[in-house]
Amino acid sequence: MAEVSPPTSDAVTSSAPANDSLRLRALRVRLLILVAGIAVPLLALAFGAVWQTTANERTRMESRLVDQARAIAGAVDVEMDRAGLYLRALASSPSLAAEDWRALYTQAVQSAPRGTFVSVRDAEGRRLLNTYYPLQQGGLAAAGAPQPLDRRALEGGEVIVSGLVNPSAIGEPAVTATLGTDTGAGNRVTLVLFIPSAHLSRILSQQNLPVDWLSALLDADDMVIARSRDQARFVGTLAVPPVRAGLAANTSGLVHTRTVENVSAALAFARAPASGYAAVVAVPEVVFGRVFLSALRPVAMIGGLLLVAALLAAMLASRRILSAVRRGYAEEKSLREEVARSLRIRDAELKESERRFQTIADAMPQLVWSTRADGYHDYFNERWYQFTGTSPGSTMGGVWNDLLHPDDQERSALRWAHSLETGEPYEIEYRFKAGDGSYRWFIGRAVPMRDAAGRIERWFGTCTDIHDKKMAEEALVSTQRQLKARVTELAQEKARLERLMLSAPNLIYINDLQRRRNAYINPQIFESLGYGPSELMGRPLKTLGAYVHPDDRRRVAEFASQVRRVADGEVREIEYRIRHTDGTYRWFLVRETPFQRDPVGKVTQVLGTALDIGSRKQAEERQHMLIRELHHRVKNILATVQAIASATGRSSTTFAAFRERFSDRLVSLGRTHSLLTREAWSGAGVRDILESELAPYLQDGEARVVIEGPPLVVPRDMTVPIGMAIHELTTNAVKYGALSVPEGRVHVTIASDGAVPEPRMTLEWRESGGPPVKVPERSGFGSLLLNRLLASQLGGEVAIDYRPAGVVARIDVVLRKDDVR
């Protein structure tokens, strides 16, 4: 059996390096596994922390985006409210009431909000003025092609806000606020305030958003009306479909989509409740990526360095295992220091993220605050402390409520408790105390942030300063009260004036010389002339001049020219004829005086009154006619008296007989004229003449005289001859005939053949019971009167029969048509 020799020291020595190499290789592998097992979880933990921090930061930024969109929408509503207030103030302008467009243009240029323009159009859409154009280059134009009008503004009394108008009346994209109102003359007009898109873009620029952020305004049809960048390129285009869909479903929200520049971004939107405009704020996704990379880069660098260091340490440890073991504690300490350094870097990054949030919050114009889920206030931005004058951290918890106005504290606490209990958004208007001790109005809003399960994690809120708006509203309410009182006073004055004009007997009118039209007519004119309101009211003066009598038009034109040159308070008058609806002309006494002047003193309106003097004119004509008629009558009477005197003188033998007969005949003539005067010289009744002459024998109770027949009236030209004839018959009967004895009788019969239109009257005088009658030897005055005057002058037939038993006289006269009543 062979002998096995033991290994030599050289062999042992030669195998040791191999074993050491194997051990070092195994140790290296184990160390690498150990390093990997430690480094990978740490890196994963670091990456997870970075991811969570970035996600939280993204959530806060997205919530901030929505809040910013709401803030911009609120700012737009405030701007449109100011536009509405301005239009209402302009609608109450005296220049508008007087339709003084030049003065209204000057007022609008001076008072319109900076960067806006005012236009006024009539009810047909014709432009009356536009402050976009200079005064001498179309700014004041009373004509032009009619433009479409918003009938809601013309028919109602509310301010109507339009969508984008492109092109507009000012030559650039704009939105409008329109208000319908009335002028003092009752004409309906619209006041339009043009707000250019460039003006709205300045509102966006005032929000002080970060450079990477983009903001835009949309109208009610989701059309872009303003943009913080590329204004000219995108105004007038529609918003991207996801934003339009979001606005159709909710008043505010957030969508992730691509912008019109094809950039992936987060877009927050909010619809303004009053104007209907929408605000959109977009942040490119690359901004969120930069936030993530900025947080990840230090962690990745540190992780890489740790991994390289660990590998180097493992390789060194494989060679120096013993020293590695001895240095284990030192390496462990070094590792702890590295981890602490990493954590410090992470804390620094978190603080940097918080600093950026703090910068954004402090850059906002609102007071920003945040609370825990239970409502404990644990954050206020720097603007809060600047406004309240408190030191940072001194208003945490519920101390902030003490800074409210005492009248608002209980109401605010109840509203905040309700939101905490129900989770409903918080909104209230209250007054905060400023550092100088004054109070300012704010609108406070807060919304909850919820976790995936819907539980509230935090509340984020803002307080927006609305003090100026509140003061403007209070001033407006005060102004409206004053205006209402003034309107009531003016309405009372107007009612008194209208009652005066309605009760006045005169015709009252106002003519507008600038517009060359009638401005006012009281109802008495329509009653006096028979025309309807539409035929006279508001008609051109040239048309109204056609109603004046052609013979008076030249005098009326000269009169109108004189009125324009007279001083205030001076009245001119003229008499002329105006055509009635029945075609006749009526006389009026017209008085006119200046009623209103323009700034240079030129008469623009004339106040006039007209008094119907037709009755006076007719009275004057009747007076002239009566004077002529009296002249004619006096001449006729004098001729009659002369004839009576001449005839009586020829038939009288003595002066006493002449005087007696002449006096009796004059008395008879006087009685006849009395009858004519009683009947206003229109004629006299035959029966009245008979009763006047035979009165003593009609009243003796013995019926010695009988008068029969109808009560015919003879013409005034025939009254005197017939009266004189009846007087002669009566005188002869008293002296020589039937009435000279008591038993004598006179029977008078009046008859008419009833012919039309010129009836014939027959009067028969029959005496009986008197002395025997003899035919006279010569013709006296009675025969002359009967045979010549009645037979020849009046065209009648006279027959006298001297019968022995009594005289019978018959008179036939044709009564002219104009003399028959």
Side-chain angles (χ1 to χ4, degrees):
M1 178 175 160
E3 236 183 49
V4 177
S5 61
T8 63
S9 58
D10 294 335
V12 173
T13 302
S14 61
S15 62
N19 292 333
D20 290 340
S21 177
L22 291 174
R23 292 190 186 99
L24 289 174
R25 189 178 296 112
L27 181 59
R28 186 180 296 113
V29 171
R30 292 188 183 94
L31 290 174
L32 290 175
I33 293 173
L34 178 61
V35 169
I38 295 174
V40 170
L42 288 175
L43 290 174
L45 179 62
F47 290 155
V50 171
W51 178 263
Q52 183 63 39
T53 301
T54 305
N56 291 339
E57 179 66 18
R58 180 187 184 96
T59 302
R60 285 194 294 270
M61 289 182 66
E62 290 179 346
S63 177
R64 174 68 186 94
L65 280 175
V66 176
D67 289 341
Q68 187 64 46
R70 292 195 187 104
I72 295 174
V76 172
D77 265 358
V78 169
E79 185 69 16
M80 299 314 292
D81 286 346
R82 290 174 180 168
L85 291 175
Y86 172 74
L87 288 179
R88 293 188 184 280
L90 191 62
S92 64
S93 170
S95 300
L96 176 64
E99 297 187 7
D100 188 349
W101 306 123
R102 180 178 296 273
L104 185 62
Y105 177 95
T106 303
Q107 179 183 354
V109 169
Q110 295 174 352
S111 63
R114 187 175 182 181
T116 63
F117 306 94
V118 177
S119 176
V120 180
R121 295 185 178 277
D122 62 15
E124 284 74 33
R126 289 186 292 271
R127 187 182 78 199
L128 301 177
L129 65 85
N130 189 337
T131 61
Y132 178 80
Y133 301 99
L135 184 62
Q136 305 301 329
Q137 300 180 14
L140 189 63
Q147 298 295 322
L149 290 176
D150 193 331
R151 291 294 171 185
R152 296 175 301 168
L154 196 61
E155 297 170 358
E158 298 297 324
V159 177
I160 303 301
V161 177
S162 74
L164 181 68
V165 181
N166 188 18
S168 67
I170 62 173
E172 59 181 297
V175 297
T176 64
T178 305
L179 174 65
T181 186
D182 293 322
T183 65
N187 296 318
R188 195 71 175 163
V189 298
T190 57
L191 302 178
V192 184
L193 182 66
F194 287 90
I195 305 176
S197 294
H199 179 75
L200 295 175
S201 67
R202 286 194 289 272
I203 296 178
L204 299 177
S205 64
Q206 293 171 359
Q207 303 302 313
N208 296 321
L209 299 180
V211 178
D212 293 330
W213 293 24
L214 174 67
S215 58
L217 290 178
L218 311 178
D219 61 13
D221 298 324
D222 299 334
M223 189 80 69
V224 177
I225 60 177
R227 210 165 183 269
S228 60
R229 292 201 304 266
D230 295 333
Q231 165 87 2
R233 179 181 174 188
F234 293 104
V235 166
T237 62
L238 281 173
V240 294
V243 172
R244 299 204 303 271
L247 285 170
N250 301 290
T251 58
S252 62
L254 184 79
V255 296
H256 296 278
T257 183
R258 289 188 172 275
T259 65
V260 292
E261 295 100 334
N262 199 28
V263 176
S264 180
L267 287 83
F269 57 87
R271 179 77 70 184
S275 63
Y277 294 160
V280 179
V281 180
V283 176
E285 290 291 343
V286 67
V287 174
F288 295 105
R290 285 200 299 268
V291 173
F292 175 74
L293 291 177
S294 64
L296 180 63
R297 188 177 295 109
V299 175
M301 185 179 297
I302 294 172
L305 292 176
L306 287 175
L307 184 59
V308 171
L311 292 175
L312 292 175
M315 295 181 67
L316 291 174
S318 65
R319 295 180 181 178
R320 302 176 182 179
I321 186 60
L322 294 177
S323 60
V325 172
R326 285 194 299 266
R327 291 193 302 268
Y329 291 109
E331 291 175 359
E332 181 180 354
K333 181 180 179 181
S334 176
L335 181 60
R336 284 198 301 269
E337 291 175 353
E338 290 293 334
V339 172
R341 189 180 301 111
S342 298
L343 292 176
R344 285 196 298 272
I345 294 174
R346 178 191 171 193
D347 290 341
E349 293 171 349
L350 290 176
K351 290 179 180 179
E352 177 64 19
S353 177
E354 291 179 355
R355 188 190 65 79
R356 286 196 295 271
F357 169 75
Q358 184 71 37
T359 301
I360 294 173
D362 291 342
M364 292 179 61
Q366 292 93 351
L367 312 181
V368 182
W369 48 273
S370 178
T371 75
R372 297 198 294 251
D374 59 359
Y376 183 88
H377 287 68
D378 59 0
Y379 170 77
F380 293 93
N381 69 342
E382 183 63 25
R383 193 174 294 274
W384 163 270
Y385 296 113
Q386 292 175 357
F387 174 76
T388 60
T390 57
S391 58
S394 62
T395 56
M396 297 299 180
V399 180
W400 65 276
N401 199 56
D402 297 336
L403 297 175
L404 286 172
H405 193 281
D407 296 341
D408 301 335
Q409 291 180 3
E410 182 178 357
R411 180 169 56 89
S412 174
L414 292 175
R415 184 68 185 88
W416 178 234
H418 175 75
S419 294
L420 291 176
E421 181 181 353
T422 61
E424 295 178 359
Y426 173 75
E427 181 170 335
I428 189 174
E429 292 183 1
Y430 41 36
R431 288 160 287 183
F432 270 116
K433 185 177 183 180
D436 59 3
S438 63
Y439 286 90
R440 290 188 68 85
W441 278 97
F442 286 83
I443 180 170
R445 294 189 180 96
V447 293
M449 176 184 289
R450 301 178 184 271
D451 59 14
R455 292 185 297 271
I456 296 177
E457 292 181 336
R458 293 193 66 82
W459 287 83
F460 287 95
T462 61
C463 296
T464 303
D465 190 327
I466 59 170
H467 188 76
D468 293 339
K469 177 184 175 183
K470 273 285 186 180
M471 294 301 100
E473 289 175 353
E474 292 178 1
L476 178 60
V477 170
S478 176
T479 302
Q480 287 176 340
R481 284 197 297 266
Q482 297 175 3
L483 181 60
K484 185 176 180 181
R486 181 56 179 162
V487 168
T488 302
E489 181 182 348
L490 291 177
Q492 293 173 350
E493 292 180 2
K494 179 182 178 183
R496 287 195 295 269
L497 182 60
E498 288 179 347
R499 287 196 298 271
L500 175 62
M501 289 186 173
L502 292 176
S503 61
N506 290 20
L507 315 183
I508 302 174
Y509 60 90
I510 298 175
N511 289 336
D512 192 325
L513 303 184
Q514 270 191 333
R515 300 173 56 221
R516 299 181 182 275
R517 289 180 176 273
N518 167 262
Y520 172 79
I521 294 179
N522 69 339
Q524 284 84 332
I525 292 184
F526 310 131
E527 298 174 3
S528 179
L529 295 177
Y531 295 102
S534 61
E535 297 179 271
L536 300 178
M537 184 76 75
R539 302 287 290 172
L541 299 182
K542 184 176 181 181
T543 302
L544 297 178
Y547 293 104
V548 178
H549 194 284
D551 296 343
D552 300 335
R553 291 175 185 172
R554 183 181 59 81
R555 292 191 303 110
V556 171
E558 294 176 354
F559 173 74
S561 178
Q562 293 174 4
V563 172
R564 298 188 185 191
R565 296 192 298 268
V566 302
D568 289 341
E570 187 175 350
V571 179
R572 294 297 177 91
E573 65 179 40
I574 186 176
E575 295 179 1
Y576 60 86
R577 290 159 287 181
I578 302 176
R579 187 174 70 243
H580 192 274
T581 51
D582 59 7
T584 63
Y585 285 89
R586 301 193 178 184
W587 280 96
F588 286 87
L589 172 61
V590 178
R591 295 184 175 93
E592 290 187 356
T593 185
F595 185 63
Q596 186 173 333
R597 298 178 183 270
D598 60 14
V600 299
K602 182 180 179 182
V603 177
T604 58
Q605 288 189 352
V606 170
L607 172 64
T609 64
L611 180 63
D612 190 337
I613 58 172
S615 299
R616 193 193 80 185
K617 284 289 185 179
Q618 291 176 358
E620 291 175 354
E621 291 178 1
R622 285 196 299 270
Q623 184 179 15
H624 292 320
M625 182 185 70
L626 287 175
I627 291 174
R628 292 193 300 270
E629 182 69 16
L630 179 62
H631 178 70
H632 175 69
R633 295 294 174 192
V634 169
K635 289 177 64 178
N636 289 344
I637 290 171
L638 292 176
T640 302
V641 170
Q642 183 180 9
I644 292 173
S646 177
T648 303
R650 287 195 299 270
S651 63
S652 300
T653 57
T654 65
F655 179 74
F658 168 79
R659 183 178 60 184
E660 180 181 359
R661 292 175 182 176
F662 184 68
S663 177
D664 290 343
R665 287 164 181 167
L666 287 181
V667 170
S668 175
L669 179 63
R671 284 197 298 269
T672 304
H673 275 274
S674 296
L675 290 175
L676 284 172
T677 304
R678 189 180 69 185
E679 298 296 330
W681 286 87
S682 59
V686 177
R687 182 181 288 272
D688 293 337
I689 298 173
L690 289 167
E691 290 176 352
S692 174
E693 294 291 341
L694 298 171
Y697 307 100
L698 292 172
Q699 300 172 1
D700 59 3
E702 297 182 2
R704 299 180 65 189
V705 177
V706 177
I707 303 174
E708 294 181 347
L712 293 178
V713 176
V714 297
R716 58 174 179 257
D717 292 339
M718 299 177 66
T719 301
V720 172
I722 290 178
M724 295 297 296
I726 292 174
H727 172 73
E728 293 300 323
L729 289 172
T730 302
T731 300
N732 290 333
V734 171
K735 288 183 176 182
Y736 312 111
L739 297 181
S740 64
V741 296
E743 57 273 11
R745 299 288 185 269
V746 175
H747 189 276
V748 181
T749 303
I750 304 170
S752 173
D753 62 0
V756 177
E758 296 182 348
R760 175 177 290 275
M761 182 189 74
T762 301
L763 187 147
E764 184 180 76
W765 176 284
R766 184 181 296 275
E767 298 181 12
S768 62
V773 177
K774 297 180 180 180
V775 179
E777 297 177 356
R778 61 184 183 87
S779 297
F781 177 77
S783 301
L784 178 65
L785 176 69
L786 292 172
N787 292 324
R788 291 185 180 179
L789 187 62
L790 291 178
S792 60
Q793 182 176 344
L794 300 181
E797 297 179 2
V798 179
I800 301 177
D801 188 359
Y802 296 97
R803 299 177 184 179
V807 174
V808 176
R810 182 184 180 89
I811 302 174
D812 285 338
V813 178
V814 177
L815 303 180
R816 294 188 300 276
K817 176 181 178 181
D818 293 339
D819 294 317
V820 178
R821 285 198 300 178

